Every structure is written in structure tokens, then in C-alpha cells.
Amino acid sequence: MGPAHKGAQHRGTAGEPEVMVSALEGIGKERKKESSKKRSGSPVEGLLQPVKLSRAELYKEPTNEELNRLRETESLFHSSLLRLQVEELLKEVRLSEKKKERIDAFLQKVNQRIMRVPSTPETELTNQAWLRDGVRVPLHQVPYTVKGCFRFLPPAQVTVVGSYLLGTCIRPDINVDVALTMPREILQDKDGLNQRYFRKRALYLAHLAHHLSQDPLFGSVRFSYTNGCHLKPSLLLRPHGKDERLVTVRLHPCPPPDFFRPCRLLPSKNNVRTAWYQGQSPSGDGSPEPPTPHYNTWVLQDTALESHAQLLSTVLGSASGLKDGVALLKVWLRQRELDKGLGGFSGFLVSMLVAFLVSTHKIHTTMSGYQVLRSTLQFLASTDLTVNGISLCFSSDPFLPALADFHQAFPVVFLDSSGRLNLCADVTASTCHQVQHEARLSMVLLDSKADDGFQLLLMTPKPMVRAFDHILHLRPLSRLQAACHRLKLWPELQDHGGDYVSAALGPLTTLLEQGLGSRLHLLAHSRPPVSEWDISQDPPKHRDSGVLTLGLLLRPEGLTSVLELGPEADQPEAADFRQFWGSRSELRRFQDGAIREAVVWEAASMAQKRLIPHQVVTHLLTLHADIPDTCVHYTGGLLDALIQSLKETSSTGEEALAAAVRCYDDLSRLLWGLEGLPLTVSAVQGAHPVLRYTEVFPPTAVRPAYSFYEQLQERASLLPRPDKPCPAYVEPMTVVCHLEGSGQWPQDAEAIRRVRAAFQLRLAELLTQQHGLQCRATATHTDVLKDGFVFRIRVAYQREPQILREMRSPEGIISLRDTPASLCLERDTRQLPLLTSTLHGLQQQHPAFSGVARLAKRWVRAQLLGEELTDESLDLVAAALFLHPEPFTPPSSPQVGFLRFLFLISTFDWKNNPLIVNLNNELTAEEQVEIRSVFLATRTKLPVMVIITPQDRKSSVWTQGGPSPQTVFRPPLDMYDVLIHLSPRHIPRHRQAVDSPAASFCRGLLSEPGPSSLMPVLGYDPPQLYLAQLREAFGDLALFFYDQHGGKVIGVLWKPTSFQPQPLKASNTKGRMVVFQGGELVMVPNVEAILEDFAILGEGLVQAVEARSERWTV
Amino acid sequence: MVARGRKRAARESEKGILSPPGYSAIPIKFSEKQQSSHYLYVREHKVREGTKSSWPQKRTLFVLNVPPYCTEECLSRLLSPCGPVQSVELQEKPDLAESPKEPKSKFFHPKPVPVAYVVFQKPRGVSAALALKGPLLVSTESHPVKSGIHKWIRDYADSVPDPEALRVEVDTFMETYDEKMAEEEAKAKEEEGVPDEEGWVKVTRRGRRPVLPRTEAASLRVLEREKRKRARKELLNFYAWQHRETKMEHLAQLRKKFQEDKQRIELMRAQRKFRPY
């Protein structure tokens, strides 16, 4: 990896969206104006074309090689695409031969330099005066006093161990691990005791560091911790000059073979004496010393470096498939952030796991990399290492400790070939469960045969913030020290050499897992990052390792209960329960007569219920670990405020939506039972976002104050008054009403419209007569006021779209052709209700859907892009997050869903992929393949964003109107040419604004909803009316952007193309004037007059028109 | 022609207002307060010999670039000083034919958008209008034109429908429609089974034995059925060459898939899609 690599990578990541934008613009241009060119089939840069192979190429005789390759692909890989992808990925992460040579040369030199480091005379361990200035011991020497002597001698042996030799190391971080065997003369008997070995190890490195740092060969000489273990520093060497980024050589001193007696280092043995650790004189009272399993393991790890390297090289050595598999597994782990830090599931661990699977014949050496990956994931998914440990040791030596002994000492057990060393000693149970969970998800993904499995499995990063529903940070970390004392973890502290973070981690996660119980699916914790520091500095303190982040994956079904049910009061477990929950536990009598201990959390709304884990976590941490809630930074409902309506600030609107839906259900029941309609109602379907739970601000029942309005008594309606602020915005909810089939309908489009109008009138009449509802009929719909909600019922005739499509050819044959009117009708009366009911169903499955969809819409509209991306397309994108969450699980909180929404729209390659939203799982895998190929063949005719649903397999109805490729990635809110400022007095939804105003105008509503006999003002939103007028008048000169949720500014962007001087033509004179330019008469927009028109058209609403750029001066 | 137009335009530019050749420009403002003005481009409505146009020759003024707040009444009022105005029609595009004869229903058709044809009662009105200097004012003290909030409130009030009027309209329409249909039916019945001059009898769907409807879908269905019937009779994988061909076909499919995949990989590589992090 060259020194320029990092830079190149940066360019790569930054360049990616750029590529997309320009690529998208490519299609956009083509789509927009050059339809003639499009047909001629000019190849577009970066766009997939359908493959055309000549007959001769397709049907030529196959060669043996080709047949072999095809057969191999079929048997060893999933598909040829996957095979190619895997090969490409390996090429990308593998080290090239050229770089290998350079690294080898560097290693040679390192070896020489190390051997040349001079020896020192023997001194006491505590006397460190011989160490030169400019280098500090890379170890916290607590307590400082240790008996023993130290001298430096050059290493007896320098060996390269680890992944570099095996060829399984992956870019971009190339590390070469070098084991330095310390000569026997340095060490004494009983060095394993009381950290003496580690002190010597640290001093050995310090002396080496001092001498090597003088050498011009090295660009940087720094210390770090081996796998994050605080007792085991290692020395990092990087070459000087342009190769600095190429490689990091890590030096690990290790004891001579057979120096430590393995039986002294079993997990049940103690090697750190309490008296020494606490700085007291040995008391000798005979109290048993606590075992120090972790300490022992760390010593053992050093002794086993070489044997592990040998084992791996014998197993992996000749099998290239295994090496590929290990490399893929490393990428897989890294994308999931599982491989770093103390207790991470490192690459070494995974290599050993593959070795284990080979030894148990679960993997064969001839398997391909993909198969190795798959088998390993399968094993990880099905085996719980916290219960059933595994061992590489197959000898039946009776003196070896049993697996059960290890299970007692460690949460996760995986023994190496000696049978004494637990490779997973530092891995916590929750990390192990996380790995298992990830493996399970990946297996499901691989089994689903999804087309983009590779992408999701190996190329999509899963940072905690997108993977977990709720995230909490513990900060500052020094609080954990107190927590350790509160939790009585002194033996663990002694074992971990004072590292209170890792000592407290296990008990804390267990505590929270127990407390969250049925609400929790998975609890994961971040591992402190492995720090590097300069040799002249002291090693970083435990508290400096940043924050501890915990991620909670919630179980949606568990989130609805506010009750923690305990045992019955007279049972012995009741005491435990009381002790666990402290003051929150109280005795309660339940309906079945039982008296039980129980904890009840206060949560009225769905939003609060979702945040009960927050209450649980803070309560338990304060109670049991002494961590006050000021140190717990919980992010679960950060974005809730954006979708809260003001009246009930605690709810995010789920309840209000449910109320509206209930009212709709009542209405549909009334419609079903309506008597006296010529045809009975056969179906009532909602078609409004409220009825699929995705309206950003759900409607509330309204009760208008009559004095605020003008009244139109004869039509029982209210009108807005010009002298008052504009009234509250009431949007009618569209409901489509299908009637039973009948042959009596006329067969002419105009006549059908009249008959429908007659139905609308009749419907209004009957609803008023039979149920006393206030109704208002128009030619196309009937507005019904019910319990303060207004519904807009549209009668639909099933055959009408068909009749609109009929065209009679000159020969008299009737053919069906889509027309704009038929498509529009089809969309409104068939597809929209279907979508609404499907998404309604989705909401029942995934309670967080509503929140995610609404946050997404809110965001898009706040970016002033609400007009371009239709409601329905955004709902479908949100639905895709739930239906196709891979590689994640379906979100259970709006926050994480929204973050994934942002990730999706920022990275999705709309140009070459349709977004398939498989509603109700109706599309089979074969159909999806078919859809993709149709998509590729017709790409240029399709809109920029293509969203496919089972009902809409080809045309992507909801994105037909936009967005234009320019707007999808336009940086928000920057350079609008003109800003039109609006007066809040006439913005009915002023209070929904992102920065909610403290006070707004009275909107003519009474505070309590009640029966009203007059129809409120419906759908009267001056900014929208104004926008419609602007778009109608100046739509071909400019684009208008507005946030319908209380935006106070309309952004105007002149269309550059329409500012080109145009030749004189009768059809394009709108808003232009004639000027004399370049010897010719041309037409240019009459900008001054148009700006004044903006103000005139919006008289009363517009406060100011601010022209911001001078771009329009032609 | 063009040269003449240019000259004329140049002449006008000396006066300060430019206009496209053949047109004259009339400045128009919303009210006194507006600083800069829009320009109406007007011309006498003329068509080449032989082209049908329902607008009366000589008396019709063709107006381009009508500002959005200008209504038909307002245009009529502004141009009335030139002579009595017979009618004003606002349209989306220049259109030779006069709009449909029957008056459009206000319940079923929204209003169109502006290019205007103004028909004067006398030809003199046109020439007077062409010479108009302006600036015309859309909204004056005596005839205020509503815009903004006031306009929207009025529009809203207008949009609250009168169910009775709607009912009456629907009823009358349906009556005439029913009459028309009954007439057609009667006519069809009369013709049924009666041979024409050459002796052909027209077969309709009202006959005793129903026939296939004459639609595209129906004919496609018939073709499809035929095809299926033929496919069923064919023997597959019977002869050796058929075997060979199926195998070859399979291979060709694999090759095609492979090529497609290679292309995708190529593209992904170009987009740096293989850099995992």
C-alpha cells in the first residue's frame, strides 16, 4: 500500500457521489430534451446496456477450459456474478507482489537493526534511570514496586508471525507481526508472577524504541497495545519516506519456548497476589487468592505466538480457497466493526476458526473462498460459543483442564491446540452474540439468493449508529471506576491489571440485558479503540479511550408493555426482584387476583413507550453501578420532536393517526350499510397518507369558531375572511368508494362523469338523511364532515379507465392505448388505494414504519424538495427499509430508520438499479431477475428514480413526474436566485415549521372538538394556491421550492435554458420581451416585470421579494 | 419580408419599445404602482388563403403574452376604447378554430390559460388597437382587479358548489345523452339484417348468436390460443439434434449471463465499488 494510497482512497470516497451526480445528469439530459438522440442509441457513459452478442459468438464450440470454468462456477459459487465480484474484491484487498517485495526488503533491514541494538548492564526493575530521555515506559506501573532485575540483550530469535506470512492480510492496514524471543538470561524464575514478565517486556520495548527511533530508516516509531490489552504494549515501526503508509511492523517480545510452566497458567490459578496488588505487606492469613484467568491468558498468548503461526501455515498454507475465505471473513468482520479493540473478533481468531472447521471436516481444503465464508458463517450462526465451547486440542491427556473449567472463568471459550489457552478470553458474551446475530442475518441473506447479496454482505458498512435502534454513550469513562467498586469487582480489576473499562464491561452488559428483558433483541458494545502514542509520552490512561457506546436492538413486540411483571409476593424470588429494581418495584394486585411485585413505567404514547429502555437503563445504572444519568447520553428519540404536533408534545402522532383511521373505519361502515343508493357499495378504500399512517402531521378533529369566518348559510359552509389571518388548514382525506358492477353504466366518458356526479349528489343526500352528516357534493367528490374529520369520498367506476383507453382504429378495431387521463384515473382509483391498504398492513407489522416514513417526508420537504418527490414514492422508499432491511434488521425506532433512509438515498445507484419494493412478498426471485432485465432494456425511457412494486412492475407510477436529476442531489438551501418571503399571518401551517415559532396567529378553532353543523374551510392553503399560480404562470421560466410544513420562504431558481435568448416565436412569448441583441431581435425574460408579478400575484401573502443573484441580467 | 420586419423593428426601437416583426407592442401594467411593464404583442389575425379559421377576418386581434392576472373581462375593458368589443377568448395556444361551440360546463372543465383572440364589432377597432400606446393599467381605482389573498378567497367561495345547479346540469345532459343513444339504437335496429346495396349484411353484437367483439385484445387472444395449440403438437428433445440444440442454448444463456455480469463488474470497478471501506 503506497503512501499515496490514503489520498487516493479519500478521493475515492469523495468522488463517489460525484460520479453518481454526473452520471445521473447524463440520463436526465437525455431524457429531457434529446429524445430523438436517445432513440438512435448513443451509449451513455456509466450506464448499463443490454448485452448483444452475435450468433457466432453465442453458439461457437466451447473450449474445455470454458466448460470447466462454467462448471466450477455452478458448483462452487452462487452465480457467475458473485464469482466475479468476489474475485474483484480480493484483488482490491490483496497485497500486490510488488509491494510484498518492498515489505520483505524492509523486514530484512528491521531484522538487522534490531540485532544491532546494544545491550545494557543489569539493574533493578524499579531503577529505570538507565533509560534515556525521550522514551517512556509503555506501561502503567501500578503498583510500582516489583522485585527483580532487568538487562537488555538482543533477541535470541526474530520471527515473522501472523497473517502476513499466510498471505491473508488485507489492505488498507497492512500489519506485519514480528515476534522477538527474549534471551533466557533476561528472565528469572517466577517472572510470571505479579506482572514482572510484563514489566520486563515493556522495558525491553522501551530500550528498543529508543535506539530504533534514532535510525533514519524509520518514518515513525510508536507504541501501541497488542489487541488493546493494557499490559502488553507493542512497538510499531513504519518505513521512512513515501513508503510510510505501506506497512506497519509490530514488534512483540515473547519469552523463550518452554520458559513458563503451563500448569502455572491455568485459568484457575492466581498469578497476581492481592497483597502486592493492594500495596500491603503479605498478611498471610491464608485467605484464598482469586484466580487471574485473563492475566494468565495474556502470558500464555506470548508463549504460543509461534506455534499458532505454524498451525495456521500448515492448514492454510497450500489451499488458496481457504486463504480467500479468511480474507473475505476479515472484510466481513471489518464492515461490521467487530474486529477492533480488546475482545474483538479479530482476523487471527477467524483464521483459527477456519483451522478448527478444517480439522473437524466442516470445511474442505478444495472449497472456494465463497464456500469457506458460507460454511464459517453457518457455523457461527448455529453455535453459541458462550455455552458450547470448542477446542482445537484433540489429545486425551487427563491432566488437561476440561472445557467446563474454562466456561467458569470466561464467557466465551475457544481453546487452541495446546488445550490450555482460550483464544476468546477477552471476547465478551455480548460480542459473541453480536457475531452470532450478524452471521445469522448473513446466512438468511445468502439463502435468499438476492441479486445484490454480495454488495450487502461485504460492501455495506454497518456502523453502530445505523445498525442499532437506540444508542447510548457512557461518558466520561472514569465513572466506570466507581462502578467497579459499586459492583464489587476488585478481583476482576486485579486480574485486568487495573483496566476498569474492560473489567466493568461484562457485568454492566449482563445487568442491562437482564433489565431490558423482553424489550431487547441484542445488546452490543463498542470496544475501546486501540490507541497509538509517541514513545516520548506516557501511555494513555484508561479513561482516555473515548466513550463507551452501547447499541440496543429492540424487539418491537416487547416495546408496547409498560409493565415489568415480577414473581408473586410470597415467593423467595420476590426479594431478588425487589433488590434488582430497587425503589421502582412495588406490590400490585392484578385482575386475576394475584399479588405480585411489578415495575410500572410511565409512558402514555407510543413514542414514550419506545423510550422506556432509556428509563430502564438510567434507573439500573444509577441503582447498581453508581453512574448518574448525566453520564448516560441516550439517543433514541432525538428526532421525535420533528414529527410532534404541538398540542400533545409527548406523542409523535401515532395516536392521532389511529384516531383518524378509526373515524374512517366508522365512515366506511356507514357507507357499506347505506340504503337507497341505486348500486350498493362494494368496497371502500382509503387513498390518503393519513390512512396509511404516513402523514407527517396527522389531522386533529376540528371545531371552527364561527365568528372567525364568513358564513355561506344556504350551502352550510364557512368561508375565510380577508381581514382575519387565514384559518386552520383542514385537508380532506380521500376515500375511494367502489360500487357493485352493473351493465347500466353508459359507455361514453363524458356521460360516465355525469353519472358519477349524480352518484356523488345522491351519496351526500343519503349520508345527510340517514346519518345526519354534513356533506357537500361536487362533480368529482363528496366531502363529508364526521366527528371533526373531513373525508373526501370519490365514487369510482371500475371500467372507466378502460373506456378512456379505448381507441377506434380506422378499420373499426378497438384497441387499448394509455392516455394521460386514463393513467391518472387508474392511479387515483386503483393503485393508490391498493398502496394505501398495503402500507396500512405494513404499519401493523412494523410499528416504527409510520415514524420513519414521516421523518423522511419531513426531511425531504424541509429541503424544499417535497414537490419533486411524491408522497407515495417516499412512502415506498421507507417501506423498502422495512421489507428489505438487509444487511440490517427492520428498524424499531424512527431514528435509525431515518438514518438508513438518508444512507439509502445518498448511496443508491438509481441509474443502474430499480428499487424493488416487494410488498407482501409477491415477487419471486425469478420475477425480480426478469424485472431487472426489462429495466436495463428500457432504462432510457424510465424516470430517474424507478421504484418497482408487485402492482407496478414496469413503469414506476409514483416517480413519473420527477424528480429531475438535478434536484436529487442539489445541495440544500444554498443559492436560490430569488427568495419570496411570506407573511406568517396567511400560512395556516405556520406552527409545523422546523424551528417552531413560539406563537402564531389564532386559526379560528375552538379548543375542544365538538359537533359542528357547518363545513369548515377545506384545503385552503394560501401558499399552495400561490405556488400553483406561480407555476402556471412562470413554470417554464423558473423552478419554485417550498416547504409545505410552515415554510416562510419560497425559493426560486431560474431555469438557465429559458434564459438563453430565444428566437421569435408566437408560442413562447410568455413573460418575455423583445430586445435587440447581436444584430438580431430575440426574446428574453422580462425579469423586472416578473419580479413585480410575484408580488402582485401574492398580494397579502408576500412580504418581500428578494432578488439574490445577478445571474438573470442577460 | 424579414428585412422589412427588421427595419420596422428598428424604427420602433428608436421609440423605445421593440416588438417582433408584424406585431406591435403595448405596455401593460397591473396598476400605477408597478414600475416595469409587460408588453402585449398584438397583430391582426390573418390566415393564408384557403386555411380555415373560424375567427372573423379583419375584425380579430391576436394578442400574445397576456399577463397571468389579466382576465377576459379585464382585457375587454382595456381594449374597449378602440371600439366596441364583441368577444374575448383566452387560450393556451394559438388556435385557428374558434373554441367548441357548446359552452363549457363550469363544473367539469377548468379555465384555460392565455393567448387571446379579441373580436371587435368593427374592423376599425383592430387598427385602433394596433396603434395603442399604453401603458394599459389592469387594475384601476374604478375597476379594481383582485389578486393574492382576496382572489383566493373569492376563488374558494366560487368553488363551493351549488348542488342544485349541478343536479340540473347532470339531468339535462343525461336526458340528451339518453335520447341520442335511443336514436342510435333505433337506427341500428332498423339496419339489422338489411343488406346494403352490394348485398352485405352487417353483423352486430346484438344478433342472435354473439360474435367476437372487434377489439385488439380479442384478436390477440385468438392468436395466442392458436400458437399454444401448435406448440402442444410439437415434440421436444426427441431427435438427437434437438438435444444438441437445447444444450447449446443453455450454454449460450450462460455465456450471455456471463457477459452481462462482466459488464456490470466493469462498471462497478469504474465506480470504485470494490473498495470495501
Side-chain angles (χ1 to χ4, degrees), chain A residues 737 739 745-746 749-763 777-782 793-798 800 804 825 829, chain B residues 108 166 170 174:
Chain A
C737 178
L739 301 175
W745 283 87
E750 282 290 312
I752 290 175
R753 285 162 82 177
R754 273 18 180 234
V755 174
R756 262 200 293 126
F759 268 111
Q760 302 287 7
L761 287 167
R762 188 81 184 128
L763 205 59
T778 69
T780 52
H781 56 257
T782 305
I793 304 176
R794 294 188 59 176
V795 172
Y797 170 46
Q798 289 93 326
E800 192 175 353
L804 285 177
L825 194 71
T829 59
Chain B
F108 292 95
L166 178 59
V170 167
M174 286 316 289

Side-chain angles (χ1 to χ4, degrees), chain B residues 4-267:
Chain B
R4 202 148 42 99
R6 270 203 198 143
K7 244 180 238 163
R8 182 165 157 213
R11 263 208 317 280
E12 284 210 357
S13 78
E14 286 158 24
K15 281 185 274 167
I17 307 169
L18 287 171
S19 69
Y23 290 84
S24 55
I26 310 171
I28 182 167
K29 290 183 178 183
F30 181 72
S31 64
E32 282 293 350
K33 274 179 268 171
Q34 188 167 14
Q35 304 279 320
S36 44
S37 49
H38 280 290
Y39 299 97
L40 294 180
Y41 298 116
V42 298
R43 192 186 70 173
E44 189 187 335
H45 175 68
K46 266 188 229 157
V47 284
R48 262 181 235 115
E49 296 281 323
T51 323
K52 278 264 177 238
S53 166
S54 47
W55 303 104
Q57 295 273 13
K58 309 266 185 201
R59 288 191 290 133
T60 307
L61 187 72
F62 177 54
V63 187
L64 281 176
N65 199 15
V66 181
Y69 33 75
C70 205
T71 58
E72 299 178 3
E73 301 88 64
C74 161
L75 209 56
S76 157
R77 176 169 53 75
L78 291 174
L79 292 176
S80 56
C82 311
V85 175
Q86 186 185 322
S87 69
V88 176
E89 191 78 38
L90 286 177
Q91 289 191 345
E92 200 165 352
K93 275 186 212 138
D95 188 4
L96 292 181
E98 205 161 347
S99 53
K101 300 293 168 296
E102 49 190 306
K104 283 182 179 172
S105 158
K106 72 167 178 172
F107 297 107
F108 292 95
H109 300 282
K111 271 195 324 185
V113 228
V115 158
Y117 289 94
V118 182
V119 183
F120 288 97
Q121 282 176 1
K122 290 179 185 148
R124 215 180 36 206
V126 175
S127 47
L130 285 175
L132 213 55
K133 284 285 172 317
L136 304 175
L137 296 181
V138 174
S139 173
T140 54
E141 296 263 324
S142 52
H143 297 277
V145 168
K146 286 180 176 175
S147 76
I149 293 292
H150 293 274
K151 178 177 182 301
W152 297 323
I153 289 178
R154 195 195 58 206
D155 287 352
Y156 182 80
D158 289 347
S159 75
V160 176
D162 181 2
E164 262 324 298
L166 178 59
R167 188 189 315 279
V168 170
E169 206 207 285
V170 167
D171 287 349
T172 48
F173 182 92
M174 286 316 289
E175 249 166 56
T176 47
Y177 177 78
D178 286 346
E179 269 170 31
K180 209 173 84 188
M181 292 313 283
E183 224 168 78
E184 272 175 24
E185 190 125 329
K187 202 176 152 207
K189 212 164 206 172
E190 221 167 78
E191 282 176 1
E192 173 121 41
V194 180
D196 62 5
E197 302 101 63
E198 290 176 27
W200 293 100
V201 176
K202 192 174 180 186
V203 181
T204 62
R205 61 192 179 109
R206 283 185 194 74
R208 218 174 330 128
R209 278 176 46 199
V211 289
L212 273 182
R214 289 200 71 190
T215 59
E216 200 180 31
S219 52
L220 278 179
R221 246 194 327 266
V222 172
L223 281 181
E224 187 62 31
R225 208 177 302 146
E226 285 288 303
K227 217 175 179 182
R228 239 179 302 149
K229 223 186 261 173
R230 231 175 298 139
R232 223 173 351 201
K233 283 182 187 157
E234 214 171 313
L235 282 173
L236 287 174
N237 285 342
F238 184 73
Y239 299 106
W241 59 266
Q242 279 178 320
H243 258 296
R244 217 162 40 232
E245 253 177 28
T246 347
K247 263 190 194 163
M248 212 54 208
E249 193 55 46
H250 179 68
L251 187 68
Q253 284 303 322
L254 281 180
R255 276 179 180 158
K256 195 167 171 218
K257 181 91 198 335
F258 183 61
Q259 285 302 327
E260 270 172 16
D261 292 344
K262 263 209 323 222
Q263 193 199 357
R264 272 175 84 168
I265 297 291
E266 205 55 53
L267 183 76

Side-chain angles (χ1 to χ4, degrees), chain A residues 574-587:
Chain A
D576 293 341
F577 189 82
R578 263 197 305 279
Q579 193 265 331
F580 187 75
W581 290 107
S583 59
R584 291 304 292 254
S585 168
E586 41 194 46
L587 271 182

